[in-house]
Protein backbone atom coordinates (compact mmCIF):
# COMPACT_ATOMS: atom_id res chain seq x y z
CA UNK A 1 0.00 0.00 0.00
CA UNK A 2 1.14 3.51 -0.78
CA UNK A 3 -0.39 6.85 0.14
CA UNK A 4 -1.64 8.50 -3.05
CA UNK A 5 -1.94 12.26 -3.50
CA UNK A 6 -4.82 13.65 -5.57
CA UNK A 7 -4.37 16.19 -8.38
CA UNK A 8 -6.36 19.39 -7.82
CA UNK A 9 -8.51 20.76 -10.67
CA UNK A 10 -9.73 24.33 -10.23
CA UNK A 11 -12.59 25.31 -12.54
CA UNK A 12 -15.07 28.17 -12.21
CA UNK A 13 -17.99 25.84 -11.46
CA UNK A 14 -16.25 24.24 -8.47
CA UNK A 15 -17.28 24.58 -4.83
CA UNK A 16 -15.69 27.07 -2.44
CA UNK A 17 -16.00 24.73 0.57
CA UNK A 18 -16.97 21.08 -0.11
CA UNK A 19 -13.77 19.54 -1.41
CA UNK A 20 -11.72 21.84 0.77
CA UNK A 21 -13.50 20.41 3.83
CA UNK A 22 -13.06 16.78 2.75
CA UNK A 23 -9.37 17.13 1.87
CA UNK A 24 -8.34 19.63 4.54
CA UNK A 25 -7.48 22.43 2.12
CA UNK A 26 -7.68 26.18 2.49
CA UNK A 27 -11.00 27.64 1.40
CA UNK A 28 -11.26 30.43 -1.12
CA UNK A 29 -10.98 29.88 -4.86
CA UNK A 30 -13.27 27.29 -6.49
CA UNK A 31 -12.06 23.69 -6.37
CA UNK A 32 -13.93 21.45 -8.80
CA UNK A 33 -12.25 18.04 -8.91
CA UNK A 34 -9.70 15.91 -7.08
CA UNK A 35 -8.15 13.29 -9.37
CA UNK A 36 -6.68 9.98 -8.26
CA UNK A 37 -5.11 9.36 -11.60
CA UNK A 38 -2.72 7.38 -13.71
CA UNK A 39 -3.61 9.50 -16.77
CA UNK A 40 -0.40 10.70 -18.41
CA UNK A 41 -1.59 14.33 -18.53
CA UNK A 42 -2.46 14.56 -14.81
CA UNK A 43 -0.85 11.69 -12.87
CA UNK A 44 -1.07 11.40 -9.10
CA UNK A 45 2.01 10.92 -6.94
CA UNK A 46 2.54 7.96 -4.64
CA UNK A 47 4.30 8.60 -1.34
CA UNK A 48 7.12 6.07 -1.02
CA UNK A 49 8.17 6.13 2.63
CA UNK A 50 10.63 4.35 4.90
CA UNK A 51 13.05 2.86 2.35
CA UNK A 52 15.77 4.86 0.66
CA UNK A 53 15.06 5.52 -3.01
CA UNK A 54 17.45 3.56 -5.27
CA UNK A 55 18.86 1.72 -2.22
CA UNK A 56 21.37 -0.88 -3.39
CA UNK A 57 22.91 -2.07 -0.13
CA UNK A 58 21.79 -3.04 3.35
CA UNK A 59 23.70 -0.21 5.03
CA UNK A 60 21.69 2.54 3.31
CA UNK A 61 19.84 4.55 5.94
CA UNK A 62 16.11 5.11 5.76
CA UNK A 63 15.25 8.47 4.24
CA UNK A 64 12.33 10.87 4.18
CA UNK A 65 9.34 9.94 2.03
CA UNK A 66 9.67 10.58 -1.70
CA UNK A 67 6.93 11.19 -4.26
CA UNK A 68 6.85 9.09 -7.40
CA UNK A 69 4.68 9.56 -10.48
CA UNK A 70 2.01 6.83 -10.59
CA UNK A 71 1.85 6.65 -14.39
CA UNK A 72 5.63 6.26 -14.57
CA UNK A 73 5.70 3.61 -11.85
CA UNK A 74 3.06 1.61 -13.71
CA UNK A 75 4.87 1.88 -17.04
CA UNK A 76 8.16 0.74 -15.44
CA UNK A 77 6.65 -2.28 -13.67
CA UNK A 78 3.06 -3.01 -14.75
CA UNK A 79 2.94 -6.49 -13.22
CA UNK A 80 3.91 -5.19 -9.79
CA UNK A 81 1.53 -2.22 -9.87
CA UNK A 82 -1.46 -3.67 -11.72
CA UNK A 83 -1.21 -7.44 -11.49
CA UNK A 84 -0.77 -9.80 -14.42
CA UNK A 85 -4.47 -10.02 -15.36
CA UNK A 86 -5.06 -6.25 -15.54
CA UNK A 87 -1.71 -5.64 -17.24
CA UNK A 88 -2.49 -8.25 -19.89
CA UNK A 89 -5.98 -6.86 -20.47
CA UNK A 90 -5.22 -3.13 -20.64
CA UNK A 91 -1.46 -2.73 -21.00
CA UNK A 92 0.82 -0.70 -18.70
CA UNK A 93 -1.84 1.83 -17.66
CA UNK A 94 -4.31 2.20 -14.81
CA UNK A 95 -7.58 1.38 -16.63
CA UNK A 96 -9.73 3.83 -14.66
CA UNK A 97 -9.69 7.45 -13.54
CA UNK A 98 -11.18 8.10 -10.08
CA UNK A 99 -12.33 11.56 -8.98
CA UNK A 100 -14.28 13.40 -6.31
CA UNK A 101 -16.11 16.38 -7.80
CA UNK A 102 -18.20 19.22 -6.38
CA UNK A 103 -20.30 21.64 -8.44
CA UNK A 104 -21.86 24.80 -7.02
CA UNK A 105 -23.29 25.74 -10.46
CA UNK A 106 -24.11 23.87 -13.66
CA UNK A 107 -21.24 22.71 -15.84
CA UNK A 108 -20.98 21.97 -19.50
CA UNK A 109 -23.51 20.22 -21.68
CA UNK A 110 -21.38 17.40 -23.04
CA UNK A 111 -20.97 14.00 -24.63
CA UNK A 112 -18.06 11.59 -24.28
CA UNK A 113 -16.69 10.09 -27.49
CA UNK A 114 -17.13 6.53 -28.72
CA UNK A 115 -14.04 4.35 -29.05
CA UNK A 116 -13.47 4.61 -32.82
CA UNK A 117 -14.24 8.34 -32.82
CA UNK A 118 -11.78 8.90 -29.94
CA UNK A 119 -9.02 7.06 -31.81
CA UNK A 120 -9.68 8.94 -35.04
CA UNK A 121 -9.94 12.32 -33.30
CA UNK A 122 -6.78 11.80 -31.23
CA UNK A 123 -4.73 10.80 -34.28
CA UNK A 124 -6.18 13.63 -36.37
CA UNK A 125 -5.30 16.30 -33.81
CA UNK A 126 -1.81 14.82 -33.43
CA UNK A 127 -1.29 15.11 -37.21
CA UNK A 128 -2.49 18.71 -37.04
CA UNK A 129 0.13 19.45 -34.41
CA UNK A 130 -2.31 20.56 -31.69
CA UNK A 131 -0.57 20.33 -28.32
CA UNK A 132 -2.16 17.98 -25.78
CA UNK A 133 -2.58 20.85 -23.30
CA UNK A 134 -3.83 23.39 -25.88
CA UNK A 135 -7.21 24.98 -24.96
CA UNK A 136 -8.59 24.14 -28.40
CA UNK A 137 -7.62 20.47 -28.12
CA UNK A 138 -10.65 18.13 -28.00
CA UNK A 139 -9.17 14.62 -27.83
CA UNK A 140 -6.65 14.25 -24.99
CA UNK A 141 -6.27 10.49 -25.55
CA UNK A 142 -7.52 7.72 -27.82
CA UNK A 143 -10.03 6.11 -25.44
CA UNK A 144 -13.79 6.08 -25.23
CA UNK A 145 -15.06 7.52 -21.97
CA UNK A 146 -17.71 5.67 -19.97
CA UNK A 147 -18.50 7.39 -16.68
CA UNK A 148 -20.26 6.56 -13.40
CA UNK A 149 -21.31 8.92 -10.59
CA UNK A 150 -22.06 8.07 -6.95
CA UNK A 151 -23.55 10.87 -4.85
CA UNK A 152 -21.91 11.89 -1.56
CA UNK A 153 -24.72 14.41 -0.95
CA UNK A 154 -27.82 15.35 -2.96
CA UNK A 155 -26.57 15.58 -6.54
CA UNK A 156 -28.52 16.88 -9.54
CA UNK A 157 -27.87 16.17 -13.19
CA UNK A 158 -29.50 15.79 -16.59
CA UNK A 159 -28.69 12.46 -18.26
CA UNK A 160 -29.91 11.16 -21.63
CA UNK A 161 -33.19 11.89 -23.36
CA UNK A 162 -36.72 11.60 -21.98
CA UNK A 163 -39.43 10.04 -24.10
CA UNK A 164 -40.43 12.14 -27.10
CA UNK A 165 -43.95 12.93 -25.75
CA UNK A 166 -42.42 14.37 -22.56
CA UNK A 167 -39.93 16.40 -24.59
CA UNK A 168 -42.77 17.84 -26.64
CA UNK A 169 -44.74 18.75 -23.51
CA UNK A 170 -41.73 20.55 -22.06
CA UNK A 171 -41.00 22.52 -25.22
CA UNK A 172 -44.69 23.43 -25.76
CA UNK A 173 -44.74 25.03 -22.32
CA UNK A 174 -41.91 27.47 -23.17
CA UNK A 175 -42.85 30.71 -24.96
CA UNK A 176 -39.57 31.08 -26.81
CA UNK A 177 -38.58 31.19 -30.50
CA UNK A 178 -35.77 28.63 -30.23
CA UNK A 179 -37.98 26.30 -28.20
CA UNK A 180 -40.67 26.58 -30.87
CA UNK A 181 -38.18 25.63 -33.58
CA UNK A 182 -37.05 22.67 -31.50
CA UNK A 183 -40.66 21.59 -30.99
CA UNK A 184 -41.32 21.77 -34.74
CA UNK A 185 -38.26 19.62 -35.48
CA UNK A 186 -39.24 17.14 -32.79
CA UNK A 187 -42.78 16.82 -34.13
CA UNK A 188 -41.56 16.52 -37.74
CA UNK A 189 -43.85 19.38 -38.68
CA UNK A 190 -41.40 22.03 -39.81
CA UNK A 191 -37.66 21.48 -39.73
CA UNK A 192 -35.83 23.17 -42.60
CA UNK A 193 -32.71 21.64 -44.12
CA UNK A 194 -29.67 23.71 -45.01
CA UNK A 195 -30.78 23.52 -48.65
CA UNK A 196 -34.05 25.19 -47.72
CA UNK A 197 -36.31 22.18 -48.09
CA UNK A 198 -37.96 20.04 -45.44
CA UNK A 199 -36.02 17.22 -43.81
CA UNK A 200 -37.03 13.75 -44.89
CA UNK A 201 -37.49 11.59 -41.78
CA UNK A 202 -36.25 8.57 -43.72
CA UNK A 203 -32.99 10.22 -44.75
CA UNK A 204 -29.74 10.62 -42.82
CA UNK A 205 -28.50 14.20 -42.32
CA UNK A 206 -24.86 14.72 -43.22
CA UNK A 207 -23.80 15.65 -39.68
CA UNK A 208 -25.52 12.71 -38.00
CA UNK A 209 -23.43 9.87 -36.52
CA UNK A 210 -22.66 6.78 -38.60
CA UNK A 211 -25.11 4.86 -36.42
CA UNK A 212 -27.98 7.02 -37.68
CA UNK A 213 -28.19 4.72 -40.70
CA UNK A 214 -30.32 2.47 -38.47
CA UNK A 215 -31.98 5.20 -36.36
CA UNK A 216 -35.72 5.44 -35.99
CA UNK A 217 -37.62 8.57 -37.05
CA UNK A 218 -37.89 9.54 -33.38
CA UNK A 219 -34.10 9.47 -32.95
CA UNK A 220 -33.58 11.61 -36.06
CA UNK A 221 -36.12 14.15 -34.83
CA UNK A 222 -34.49 14.29 -31.39
CA UNK A 223 -31.12 14.89 -33.07
CA UNK A 224 -32.50 17.79 -35.14
CA UNK A 225 -34.18 19.44 -32.17
CA UNK A 226 -31.02 19.11 -30.07
CA UNK A 227 -28.91 20.48 -32.93
CA UNK A 228 -31.09 23.59 -33.19
CA UNK A 229 -30.29 24.53 -29.59
CA UNK A 230 -26.52 23.92 -29.74
CA UNK A 231 -26.09 25.67 -33.10
CA UNK A 232 -28.55 28.57 -32.62
CA UNK A 233 -27.19 31.67 -34.35
CA UNK A 234 -26.33 34.80 -32.41
CA UNK A 235 -28.36 37.49 -34.22
CA UNK A 236 -29.92 40.22 -32.07
CA UNK A 237 -33.50 38.90 -32.23
CA UNK A 238 -32.46 35.42 -31.14
CA UNK A 239 -30.24 36.73 -28.34
CA UNK A 240 -33.00 38.98 -26.99
CA UNK A 241 -35.28 35.96 -27.02
CA UNK A 242 -32.70 33.85 -25.15
CA UNK A 243 -32.12 36.57 -22.55
CA UNK A 244 -35.85 36.58 -21.84
CA UNK A 245 -35.84 32.79 -21.38
CA UNK A 246 -35.84 32.84 -17.52
CA UNK A 247 -39.07 34.84 -17.51
CA UNK A 248 -40.62 32.45 -20.05
CA UNK A 249 -39.60 29.49 -17.87
CA UNK A 250 -41.10 31.08 -14.76
CA UNK A 251 -44.40 31.42 -16.64
CA UNK A 252 -44.17 27.83 -17.84
CA UNK A 253 -43.59 26.55 -14.29
CA UNK A 254 -46.82 28.24 -13.17
CA UNK A 255 -48.73 25.86 -15.45
CA UNK A 256 -50.00 22.41 -14.54
CA UNK A 257 -47.22 20.06 -15.64
CA UNK A 258 -46.25 16.42 -15.23
CA UNK A 259 -43.58 15.90 -12.58
CA UNK A 260 -40.82 14.91 -15.00
CA UNK A 261 -41.62 17.82 -17.30
CA UNK A 262 -41.54 20.23 -14.36
CA UNK A 263 -38.17 18.85 -13.24
CA UNK A 264 -36.77 19.27 -16.75
CA UNK A 265 -37.94 22.90 -16.93
CA UNK A 266 -36.51 23.62 -13.48
CA UNK A 267 -33.18 22.32 -14.80
CA UNK A 268 -33.39 24.67 -17.78
CA UNK A 269 -34.16 27.60 -15.49
CA UNK A 270 -31.16 26.81 -13.27
CA UNK A 271 -28.90 26.66 -16.32
CA UNK A 272 -30.41 29.76 -17.95
CA UNK A 273 -29.65 31.83 -14.85
CA UNK A 274 -26.04 30.62 -14.90
CA UNK A 275 -25.64 31.05 -18.69
CA UNK A 276 -28.03 33.87 -19.72
CA UNK A 277 -26.78 34.14 -23.33
CA UNK A 278 -26.59 30.43 -24.15
CA UNK A 279 -29.45 28.82 -26.14
CA UNK A 280 -27.98 25.34 -25.53
CA UNK A 281 -29.60 25.35 -22.06
CA UNK A 282 -32.85 24.46 -23.86
CA UNK A 283 -31.40 21.01 -24.54
CA UNK A 284 -32.07 20.22 -20.88
CA UNK A 285 -35.81 20.44 -21.62
CA UNK A 286 -35.35 17.25 -23.63
CA UNK A 287 -33.37 15.34 -21.00
CA UNK A 288 -33.99 13.20 -17.91
CA UNK A 289 -33.59 15.17 -14.69
CA UNK A 290 -31.82 13.01 -12.08
CA UNK A 291 -31.64 13.71 -8.34
CA UNK A 292 -29.32 11.34 -6.49
CA UNK A 293 -29.33 11.00 -2.71
CA UNK A 294 -26.19 9.87 -0.89
CA UNK A 295 -25.17 6.40 -2.11
CA UNK A 296 -27.33 6.55 -5.25
CA UNK A 297 -25.70 6.33 -8.65
CA UNK A 298 -26.01 6.73 -12.41
CA UNK A 299 -23.94 5.25 -15.23
CA UNK A 300 -23.27 7.38 -18.32
CA UNK A 301 -22.05 5.39 -21.35
CA UNK A 302 -20.06 7.10 -24.09
CA UNK A 303 -22.37 9.06 -26.39
CA UNK A 304 -24.94 9.90 -23.70
CA UNK A 305 -25.59 13.66 -23.43
CA UNK A 306 -25.40 14.95 -19.87
CA UNK A 307 -24.88 18.00 -17.69
CA UNK A 308 -24.20 18.16 -13.97
CA UNK A 309 -26.11 20.87 -12.12
CA UNK A 310 -25.00 20.79 -8.48
CA UNK A 311 -23.70 18.63 -5.65
CA UNK A 312 -20.72 16.54 -4.54
CA UNK A 313 -20.05 13.03 -5.85
CA UNK A 314 -17.50 10.36 -6.57
CA UNK A 315 -16.86 9.86 -10.25
CA UNK A 316 -15.08 6.98 -11.95
CA UNK A 317 -14.51 6.47 -15.64
CA UNK A 318 -12.34 4.76 -18.19
CA UNK A 319 -8.86 6.30 -18.20
CA UNK A 320 -9.82 9.18 -20.49
CA UNK A 321 -10.07 12.95 -20.34
CA UNK A 322 -12.03 13.30 -23.59
CA UNK A 323 -14.98 15.71 -23.40
CA UNK A 324 -17.06 16.98 -26.33
CA UNK A 325 -18.75 20.18 -25.13
CA UNK A 326 -21.80 21.73 -26.77
CA UNK A 327 -22.60 24.63 -24.46
CA UNK A 328 -22.91 25.92 -20.90
CA UNK A 329 -19.16 26.49 -20.67
CA UNK A 330 -16.35 28.96 -21.22
CA UNK A 331 -14.13 26.11 -22.40
CA UNK A 332 -13.59 24.95 -25.97
CA UNK A 333 -16.74 23.66 -27.66
CA UNK A 334 -16.65 21.04 -30.41
CA UNK A 335 -20.21 20.80 -31.66
CA UNK A 336 -19.48 18.87 -34.89
CA UNK A 337 -17.75 16.07 -32.96
CA UNK A 338 -20.41 16.15 -30.24
CA UNK A 339 -23.08 15.57 -32.90
CA UNK A 340 -21.01 12.76 -34.46
CA UNK A 341 -20.98 10.88 -31.14
CA UNK A 342 -24.41 11.54 -29.62
CA UNK A 343 -26.84 8.78 -28.72
CA UNK A 344 -30.39 10.00 -29.44
CA UNK A 345 -32.28 7.00 -28.13
CA UNK A 346 -34.75 8.08 -25.39
CA UNK A 347 -34.20 5.86 -22.34
CA UNK A 348 -34.16 5.95 -18.56
CA UNK A 349 -30.86 6.57 -16.73
CA UNK A 350 -28.90 3.43 -15.75
CA UNK A 351 -28.48 2.62 -12.04
CA UNK A 352 -25.44 0.29 -11.59
CA UNK A 353 -25.76 -0.16 -7.81
CA UNK A 354 -26.08 -3.50 -6.04
CA UNK A 355 -29.61 -4.53 -5.13
CA UNK A 356 -31.78 -5.82 -2.28
CA UNK A 357 -29.98 -9.15 -1.83
CA UNK A 358 -26.63 -7.41 -1.54
CA UNK A 359 -28.05 -5.17 1.20
CA UNK A 360 -28.83 -8.29 3.25
CA UNK A 361 -25.41 -9.86 2.77
CA UNK A 362 -23.33 -6.67 2.95
CA UNK A 363 -25.28 -3.98 4.84
CA UNK A 364 -22.17 -1.86 5.36
CA UNK A 365 -21.32 -1.15 1.73
CA UNK A 366 -22.87 -0.80 -1.69
CA UNK A 367 -21.10 -1.86 -4.88
CA UNK A 368 -21.56 -0.23 -8.27
CA UNK A 369 -20.81 -2.40 -11.28
CA UNK A 370 -21.57 -1.18 -14.79
CA UNK A 371 -21.14 -3.69 -17.57
CA UNK A 372 -17.44 -2.85 -18.01
CA UNK A 373 -14.15 -4.58 -17.21
CA UNK A 374 -12.22 -1.38 -16.51
CA UNK A 375 -13.75 -0.37 -13.19
CA UNK A 376 -16.18 -0.78 -10.35
CA UNK A 377 -16.74 1.25 -7.18
CA UNK A 378 -17.81 0.56 -3.59
CA UNK A 379 -19.07 2.99 -0.95
CA UNK A 380 -19.14 1.80 2.65
CA UNK A 381 -18.16 2.29 6.26
CA UNK A 382 -16.60 0.54 9.25
CA UNK A 383 -17.61 0.93 12.89
CA UNK A 384 -16.62 -0.66 16.16
CA UNK A 385 -19.04 -3.41 17.12
CA UNK A 386 -19.98 -1.78 20.44
CA UNK A 387 -20.58 1.55 18.68
CA UNK A 388 -22.90 0.27 16.01
CA UNK A 389 -26.61 -0.23 15.38
CA UNK A 390 -28.97 -0.55 12.45
CA UNK A 391 -29.87 3.14 12.77
CA UNK A 392 -26.25 4.01 12.00
CA UNK A 393 -26.46 2.60 8.50
CA UNK A 394 -26.56 5.43 5.99
CA UNK A 395 -27.73 3.33 3.05
CA UNK A 396 -31.56 3.36 2.99
CA UNK A 397 -31.87 -0.17 1.60
CA UNK A 398 -29.61 -1.53 4.36
CA UNK A 399 -31.62 0.19 7.11
CA UNK A 400 -34.94 -1.16 5.87
CA UNK A 401 -33.61 -4.72 5.57
CA UNK A 402 -31.89 -4.81 8.97
CA UNK A 403 -34.81 -3.31 10.85
CA UNK A 404 -36.90 -6.25 9.66
CA UNK A 405 -34.18 -8.66 10.82
CA UNK A 406 -33.48 -6.99 14.19
CA UNK A 407 -35.11 -9.77 16.21
CA UNK A 408 -33.32 -12.60 14.39
CA UNK A 409 -30.19 -14.46 15.46
CA UNK A 410 -28.44 -13.27 12.30
CA UNK A 411 -28.71 -9.62 13.32
CA UNK A 412 -25.71 -9.59 15.66
CA UNK A 413 -23.66 -11.63 13.19
CA UNK A 414 -24.32 -9.13 10.42
CA UNK A 415 -23.49 -6.16 12.61
CA UNK A 416 -20.32 -7.73 13.99
CA UNK A 417 -19.15 -8.41 10.45
CA UNK A 418 -19.09 -4.67 9.98
CA UNK A 419 -16.35 -4.16 12.59
CA UNK A 420 -13.69 -5.67 10.31
CA UNK A 421 -14.01 -6.48 6.64
CA UNK A 422 -12.00 -7.56 3.68
CA UNK A 423 -12.32 -4.84 1.12
CA UNK A 424 -14.81 -5.96 -1.55
CA UNK A 425 -12.52 -6.06 -4.57
CA UNK A 426 -10.56 -9.28 -4.85
CA UNK A 427 -7.83 -8.42 -7.35
CA UNK A 428 -6.34 -5.66 -9.44
CA UNK A 429 -5.10 -2.20 -8.44
CA UNK A 430 -7.36 -0.43 -5.97
CA UNK A 431 -7.66 3.07 -4.54
CA UNK A 432 -9.16 3.43 -1.06
CA UNK A 433 -10.26 6.94 -0.03
CA UNK A 434 -11.39 7.80 3.50
CA UNK A 435 -14.39 10.13 3.13
CA UNK A 436 -15.03 10.70 6.84
CA UNK A 437 -13.62 9.64 10.21
CA UNK A 438 -10.62 7.31 10.10
CA UNK A 439 -9.92 3.78 8.93
CA UNK A 440 -7.26 1.23 9.84
CA UNK A 441 -5.95 -0.75 6.84
CA UNK A 442 -3.98 -3.96 7.32
CA UNK A 443 -2.19 -5.48 4.33
CA UNK A 444 -0.62 -8.89 3.86
CA UNK A 445 2.20 -7.13 2.05
CA UNK A 446 2.09 -9.53 -0.89
CA UNK A 447 5.01 -10.28 -3.20
CA UNK A 448 5.35 -6.60 -4.05
CA UNK A 449 4.49 -4.95 -0.72
CA UNK A 450 6.33 -1.84 0.39
CA UNK A 451 8.51 -3.88 2.73
CA UNK A 452 8.81 -7.03 0.65
CA UNK A 453 6.58 -9.73 2.14
CA UNK A 454 6.07 -7.98 5.47
CA UNK A 455 2.59 -7.11 6.68
CA UNK A 456 1.73 -3.42 6.76
CA UNK A 457 -0.72 -1.26 8.72
CA UNK A 458 -1.80 2.26 7.78
CA UNK A 459 -4.35 4.50 9.47
CA UNK A 460 -5.86 7.05 7.09
CA UNK A 461 -8.08 9.98 8.02
CA UNK A 462 -10.60 12.03 6.08
CA UNK A 463 -9.29 13.00 2.65
CA UNK A 464 -6.39 10.54 2.70
CA UNK A 465 -6.14 7.66 0.26
CA UNK A 466 -4.13 4.50 -0.41
CA UNK A 467 -3.09 2.87 -3.66
CA UNK A 468 -3.28 -0.89 -3.07
CA UNK A 469 -1.26 -3.25 -5.24
CA UNK A 470 -2.97 -6.06 -7.10
CA UNK A 471 -1.79 -8.96 -4.94
CA UNK A 472 -2.24 -7.30 -1.55
CA UNK A 473 -4.98 -8.75 0.64
CA UNK A 474 -6.31 -5.86 2.73
CA UNK A 475 -8.65 -5.75 5.70
CA UNK A 476 -10.14 -2.52 7.02
CA UNK A 477 -11.54 -1.73 10.45
CA UNK A 478 -12.18 1.16 12.82
CA UNK A 479 -8.95 2.77 14.01
CA UNK A 480 -7.74 2.43 17.60
CA UNK A 481 -8.98 4.67 20.40
CA UNK A 482 -5.77 6.69 20.17
CA UNK A 483 -6.97 8.07 16.86
CA UNK A 484 -9.49 10.88 16.49
CA UNK A 485 -12.91 9.66 15.30
CA UNK A 486 -11.92 6.20 16.49
CA UNK A 487 -15.44 4.83 16.08
CA UNK A 488 -14.74 4.34 12.38
CA UNK A 489 -15.34 6.06 9.10
CA UNK A 490 -16.76 5.92 5.58
CA UNK A 491 -14.78 5.13 2.47
CA UNK A 492 -14.83 4.89 -1.32
CA UNK A 493 -13.04 2.04 -3.01
CA UNK A 494 -12.20 2.10 -6.72
CA UNK A 495 -10.98 -0.99 -8.52
CA UNK A 496 -11.11 -3.00 -11.71
CA UNK A 497 -14.01 -5.35 -12.47
CA UNK A 498 -12.00 -8.16 -14.03
Amino acid sequence: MYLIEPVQKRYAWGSHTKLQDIFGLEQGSPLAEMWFSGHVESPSNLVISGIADNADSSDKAEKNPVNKNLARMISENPTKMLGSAVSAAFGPVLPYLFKVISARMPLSLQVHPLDFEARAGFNRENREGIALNAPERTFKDSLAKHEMVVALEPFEACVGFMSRPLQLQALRAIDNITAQRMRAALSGAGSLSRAGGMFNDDMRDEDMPESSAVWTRTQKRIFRAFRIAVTACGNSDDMNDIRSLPAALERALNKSLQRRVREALESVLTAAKAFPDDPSVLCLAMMNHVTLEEGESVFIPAGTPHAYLSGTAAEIMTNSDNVLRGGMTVKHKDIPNLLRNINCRPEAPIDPSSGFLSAIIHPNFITYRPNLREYMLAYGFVRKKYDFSAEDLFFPQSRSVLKKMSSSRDFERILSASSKQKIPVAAGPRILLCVSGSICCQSSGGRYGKYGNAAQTEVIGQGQALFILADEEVYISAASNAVKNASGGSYLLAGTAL
Side-chain angles (χ1 to χ4, degrees), residues 5 43 68 118 135 140 173 190 203 223 231 246 304-305 317 346 381 396 435 442 450 453 469 483 486 494:
E5 296 180 336
K68 301 194 77 171
K140 304 296 181 67
M203 299 297 291
F223 176 92
T231 61
T304 303
M317 60 206 67
F381 62 91
V435 178
Q442 296 173 295
K450 187 162 61 173
N453 290 316
L469 302 180
V483 180

Side-chain angles (χ1 to χ4, degrees), residues 290-417:
V290 176
T291 299
L292 304 178
E293 298 299 327
E294 182 181 8
E296 293 182 328
S297 60
V298 64
F299 174 57
I300 304 171
T304 303
H306 60 283
Y308 298 153
L309 303 179
S310 65
T312 303
E315 194 178 33
I316 189 167
M317 60 206 67
T318 42
N319 186 33
S320 173
D321 192 26
N322 288 328
V323 181
L324 307 173
R325 300 178 184 88
M328 296 168 53
T329 184
V330 297
K331 294 183 180 181
H332 173 62
K333 291 186 286 188
D334 190 343
I335 293 170
N337 275 308
L338 180 148
L339 295 175
R340 284 176 58 86
N341 284 267
I342 194 168
N343 176 4
C344 289
R345 184 186 301 113
E347 53 192 352
I350 301 168
D351 178 5
S353 63
S354 52
F356 185 82
L357 180 60
S358 179
I360 297 175
I361 300 172
H362 299 294
N364 47 1
F365 67 85
I366 296 178
T367 56
Y368 310 87
R369 294 174 178 266
N371 189 25
L372 293 173
R373 303 174 73 209
E374 286 86 345
Y375 63 78
M376 61 167 287
L377 194 66
Y379 185 24
F381 62 91
V382 287
R383 302 277 175 89
K384 285 188 175 295
K385 180 180 178 181
Y386 58 76
D387 188 27
F388 190 88
S389 69
E391 284 70 26
D392 289 326
L393 298 171
F394 54 73
F395 301 129
Q397 56 267 61
S398 299
R399 281 198 299 270
S400 62
V401 170
L402 286 189
K403 283 180 180 178
K404 294 177 182 177
M405 297 178 62
S406 59
S407 60
S408 73
R409 293 181 178 179
D410 288 332
F411 185 66
E412 282 298 322
R413 177 186 59 79
I414 292 173
L415 291 187
S416 63

Side-chain angles (χ1 to χ4, degrees), residues 128 144 165 193 249 282-283 291 294 330 342 371 390 403 438 468 488 497:
E128 294 170 355
S193 70
L249 290 164
L282 282 164
C283 292
T291 299
E294 182 181 8
V330 297
I342 194 168
N371 189 25
K403 283 180 180 178
S438 58
I468 302 170

Side-chain angles (χ1 to χ4, degrees), residues 5-24:
E5 296 180 336
V7 180
Q8 299 180 21
K9 297 289 183 176
R10 296 186 178 274
Y11 307 133
W13 51 264
S15 171
H16 290 290
T17 60
K18 296 291 185 179
L19 296 184
Q20 292 88 337
D21 288 345
I22 293 174
F23 291 93

